[in-house]
Amino acid sequence: MRYRHLRFDIWFCLLISVGVSLGTAKIAKLVLDQAYPKYVESHTVAAGEIGGTAGPEVFRAQSIDDLLSHDTFTVLSPGIEYRNRGAGWYNGWYMYSLTLPSGELVAAVINTENVQVEGSYYTGTATLPVGRVMYEDLTSSESFIHQIEYIEPLTRRDFYVDMMGQGGKVSQEDYYETPTTLVQGITIVLCFPILHMLGSKIGIFPPFFVRRKKEQTSEWE
């Protein structure tokens, strides 16, 4: 078995680049610290709005007919039944197979932050956020249908229930993850070749690519 080892200069430049990326990631977090409160504010839904908490004045839908006959509504779900019947990703939304009191199943995107539970989390009554019907051909995504109907088919596939609205904020940790990872990656990609080029120019490192000169032989030899 043949083993290949990276040259010392490559390891050294890579190590320095990673160290620099930790610094740029720290700077990125400082910037995100200032942006996160505004993000939270813009993704916080007021009570009574789509995706917000549902008060006693909001209509309690029992069936699909109720959903279609009201502009806004909520649904009462036993415990965590609303998130245990299947789910899947559709156009960037994570939708649940929601069981209505009538037993009918519809796809719903739910702002779980604004679910109100009376009694036990698992066996009590969950009042879901304020929702509305959004017409959409869910069959346009075969993978989504396969995921959400893994346990039981939906009763209707031509709409979903929007109980998210402008809500759905992520945790501070998740908010930081993608930008800081991206900043670190870009820093390493830019920093590594620059460091190695500088080291090569001042003679500390050998050239990254060594060109082999072809031996020239005389036709008289």
Side-chain angles (χ1 to χ4, degrees), residues 144-176:
F144 166 71
I145 290 296
H146 177 74
Q147 292 170 27
I148 199 167
E149 294 188 344
Y150 181 76
I151 297 176
E152 193 174 349
L154 296 173
T155 305
R156 292 280 293 266
R157 295 175 171 182
D158 59 335
F159 71 84
Y160 69 90
V161 176
D162 176 17
M163 291 182 168
M164 180 68 71
Q166 298 300 314
K169 52 182 180 288
V170 300
S171 67
Q172 192 168 9
E173 182 180 349
D174 291 338
Y175 182 77
Y176 286 6

Coordinates of all heavy atoms in Angstrom, one line a residue, residues 144-176:
F144 N -41.9 15.1 -1.8 CA -42.7 15.6 -0.7 C -43.9 14.8 -0.4 O -44.1 14.4 0.8 CB -43.1 17.1 -1.0 CG -44.2 17.6 0.0 CD1 -43.8 17.9 1.3 CD2 -45.5 17.7 -0.4 CE1 -44.8 18.3 2.2 CE2 -46.4 18.2 0.4 CZ -46.1 18.5 1.7
I145 N -44.6 14.4 -1.4 CA -45.8 13.5 -1.2 C -45.4 12.2 -0.6 O -46.0 11.7 0.3 CB -46.5 13.3 -2.5 CG1 -47.2 14.6 -3.0 CG2 -47.6 12.2 -2.4 CD1 -48.3 15.1 -2.0
H146 N -44.3 11.7 -1.0 CA -43.8 10.4 -0.5 C -43.5 10.5 1.0 O -43.8 9.6 1.8 CB -42.6 9.9 -1.3 CG -42.0 8.6 -0.7 ND1 -42.6 7.4 -0.9 CD2 -40.8 8.4 0.0 CE1 -41.8 6.5 -0.3 NE2 -40.8 7.0 0.2
Q147 N -42.9 11.6 1.4 CA -42.5 11.9 2.8 C -43.7 12.1 3.6 O -43.9 11.4 4.7 CB -41.6 13.1 2.9 CG -40.2 12.9 2.3 CD -39.4 14.2 2.2 OE1 -39.6 15.1 3.0 NE2 -38.5 14.3 1.2
I148 N -44.6 13.0 3.2 CA -45.7 13.4 4.1 C -46.8 12.3 4.2 O -47.5 12.2 5.2 CB -46.3 14.7 3.7 CG1 -47.0 15.4 4.9 CG2 -47.1 14.6 2.5 CD1 -47.4 16.8 4.7
E149 N -46.9 11.5 3.1 CA -47.9 10.4 3.1 C -47.3 9.1 3.5 O -47.8 8.0 3.1 CB -48.5 10.4 1.7 CG -49.4 11.6 1.4 CD -50.2 11.5 0.1 OE1 -49.9 10.5 -0.6 OE2 -51.1 12.2 -0.1
Y150 N -46.1 9.1 4.2 CA -45.5 7.8 4.5 C -46.4 7.0 5.4 O -46.4 5.7 5.3 CB -44.2 8.1 5.3 CG -43.4 6.9 5.7 CD1 -42.6 6.2 4.7 CD2 -43.4 6.5 7.0 CE1 -41.9 5.1 5.1 CE2 -42.7 5.3 7.3 CZ -41.9 4.6 6.4 OH -41.2 3.5 6.7
I151 N -47.2 7.6 6.3 CA -48.0 6.8 7.2 C -49.4 6.7 6.6 O -50.0 5.6 6.5 CB -48.1 7.5 8.5 CG1 -46.8 7.5 9.2 CG2 -49.1 6.8 9.4 CD1 -46.7 8.2 10.5
E152 N -50.0 7.8 6.1 CA -51.4 7.8 5.6 C -51.5 8.9 4.5 O -51.0 10.0 4.7 CB -52.3 8.0 6.7 CG -53.8 7.7 6.4 CD -54.6 7.8 7.7 OE1 -54.1 7.9 8.8 OE2 -55.9 7.9 7.5
P153 N -52.3 8.7 3.5 CA -52.5 9.7 2.4 C -53.2 11.0 2.9 O -54.0 10.9 3.8 CB -53.3 9.0 1.4 CG -53.2 7.5 1.7 CD -53.0 7.4 3.1
L154 N -52.9 12.1 2.3 CA -53.6 13.3 2.6 C -55.0 13.2 2.0 O -55.2 12.6 1.0 CB -52.9 14.5 2.0 CG -51.5 14.9 2.6 CD1 -50.8 16.0 1.7 CD2 -51.5 15.3 4.0
T155 N -55.9 13.9 2.7 CA -57.3 14.0 2.2 C -57.4 14.9 1.0 O -58.1 14.6 0.0 CB -58.3 14.4 3.2 OG1 -58.1 13.6 4.4 CG2 -59.7 14.3 2.8
R156 N -56.7 16.0 1.0 CA -56.6 17.0 -0.1 C -55.1 17.3 -0.4 O -54.3 17.5 0.5 CB -57.4 18.2 0.3 CG -58.9 18.1 0.4 CD -59.5 18.0 -1.0 NE -59.5 19.3 -1.6 CZ -60.4 20.3 -1.6 NH1 -61.5 20.1 -0.9 NH2 -60.3 21.4 -2.2
R157 N -54.8 17.4 -1.7 CA -53.5 17.7 -2.1 C -53.4 19.0 -2.9 O -52.4 19.3 -3.4 CB -52.9 16.6 -3.0 CG -52.8 15.2 -2.3 CD -52.3 14.2 -3.4 NE -51.9 13.0 -2.8 CZ -51.5 11.9 -3.6 NH1 -51.4 12.1 -4.9 NH2 -51.2 10.8 -3.0
D158 N -54.5 19.7 -3.0 CA -54.5 21.0 -3.8 C -54.4 22.2 -2.9 O -54.5 23.3 -3.4 CB -55.8 21.0 -4.6 CG -57.1 21.0 -3.7 OD1 -57.0 20.5 -2.5 OD2 -58.1 21.5 -4.1
F159 N -54.1 22.1 -1.6 CA -53.9 23.3 -0.8 C -53.1 22.8 0.4 O -53.0 21.6 0.7 CB -55.2 24.0 -0.4 CG -56.0 23.2 0.6 CD1 -55.8 23.3 2.0 CD2 -57.1 22.4 0.2 CE1 -56.5 22.6 2.9 CE2 -57.8 21.7 1.1 CZ -57.6 21.8 2.5
Y160 N -52.6 23.8 1.2 CA -52.0 23.5 2.5 C -52.4 24.6 3.4 O -52.9 25.6 3.0 CB -50.4 23.4 2.4 CG -49.7 24.7 2.1 CD1 -49.3 25.6 3.1 CD2 -49.5 25.1 0.8 CE1 -48.7 26.8 2.8 CE2 -48.8 26.3 0.5 CZ -48.4 27.1 1.5 OH -47.8 28.3 1.3
V161 N -52.3 24.4 4.7 CA -52.6 25.3 5.7 C -51.4 26.1 6.2 O -50.4 25.5 6.6 CB -53.3 24.6 6.9 CG1 -53.6 25.7 8.0 CG2 -54.6 23.9 6.5
D162 N -51.5 27.4 6.0 CA -50.3 28.3 6.5 C -50.6 28.7 7.9 O -51.4 29.6 8.1 CB -50.2 29.5 5.5 CG -49.1 30.4 6.0 OD1 -48.3 30.0 6.8 OD2 -49.1 31.6 5.5
M163 N -49.9 28.1 8.8 CA -49.9 28.6 10.2 C -48.5 29.1 10.6 O -48.1 29.0 11.8 CB -50.3 27.4 11.1 CG -51.7 27.0 11.0 SD -52.1 25.6 12.1 CE -53.9 25.6 11.9
M164 N -47.8 29.7 9.6 CA -46.5 30.2 9.9 C -46.5 31.7 9.7 O -45.9 32.5 10.5 CB -45.5 29.6 8.9 CG -44.0 30.1 9.1 SD -43.3 29.6 10.7 CE -43.1 27.9 10.4
G165 N -47.1 32.2 8.6 CA -47.0 33.6 8.3 C -45.6 34.1 8.2 O -44.8 33.5 7.5
Q166 N -45.3 35.2 8.9 CA -43.9 35.8 8.8 C -43.1 35.2 10.0 O -42.0 35.7 10.2 CB -44.0 37.3 8.9 CG -44.7 37.9 7.7 CD -44.1 37.6 6.4 OE1 -42.9 37.7 6.3 NE2 -44.9 37.3 5.4
G167 N -43.6 34.2 10.7 CA -42.9 33.7 11.8 C -41.8 32.7 11.4 O -41.4 32.6 10.3
G168 N -41.5 31.8 12.4 CA -40.5 30.8 12.1 C -39.0 31.2 12.3 O -38.2 30.9 11.5
K169 N -38.8 32.0 13.3 CA -37.4 32.4 13.5 C -36.6 31.2 14.1 O -37.1 30.4 14.8 CB -37.3 33.6 14.5 CG -38.0 33.4 15.8 CD -37.9 34.7 16.6 CE -38.6 34.6 18.0 NZ -40.0 34.6 17.8
V170 N -35.3 31.2 13.7 CA -34.4 30.1 14.1 C -33.7 30.6 15.4 O -33.6 31.7 15.7 CB -33.4 29.7 13.0 CG1 -34.1 29.3 11.8 CG2 -32.5 30.9 12.7
S171 N -33.0 29.6 16.1 CA -32.3 29.9 17.3 C -31.1 30.7 16.9 O -30.6 30.8 15.8 CB -31.8 28.6 18.0 OG -30.9 27.9 17.2
Q172 N -30.5 31.4 17.9 CA -29.3 32.2 17.7 C -28.1 31.4 17.2 O -27.4 31.8 16.3 CB -28.9 32.9 19.0 CG -27.8 34.0 18.8 CD -27.7 34.9 20.0 OE1 -28.2 34.6 21.1 NE2 -26.9 35.9 19.9
E173 N -28.0 30.2 17.7 CA -26.9 29.3 17.2 C -27.1 28.9 15.8 O -26.1 28.9 15.0 CB -26.9 28.0 18.1 CG -25.8 27.0 17.7 CD -25.9 25.8 18.6 OE1 -26.6 25.8 19.6 OE2 -25.2 24.8 18.3
D174 N -28.3 28.6 15.3 CA -28.5 28.2 13.9 C -28.4 29.4 13.0 O -28.0 29.3 11.9 CB -30.0 27.6 13.8 CG -30.1 26.3 14.4 OD1 -29.0 25.6 14.6 OD2 -31.2 25.9 14.7
Y175 N -28.8 30.6 13.6 CA -28.7 31.9 12.8 C -27.2 32.2 12.5 O -26.9 32.7 11.4 CB -29.3 33.0 13.6 CG -29.3 34.3 12.9 CD1 -30.2 34.6 11.9 CD2 -28.4 35.3 13.3 CE1 -30.2 35.9 11.3 CE2 -28.4 36.6 12.7 CZ -29.3 36.8 11.7 OH -29.3 38.1 11.0
Y176 N -26.3 31.8 13.4 CA -24.9 32.1 13.2 C -24.2 31.1 12.3 O -23.2 31.4 11.7 CB -24.2 32.1 14.6 CG -24.4 33.3 15.4 CD1 -25.3 34.3 15.1 CD2 -23.8 33.5 16.6 CE1 -25.6 35.4 15.9 CE2 -24.0 34.6 17.4 CZ -24.9 35.5 17.1 OH -25.1 36.6 17.8

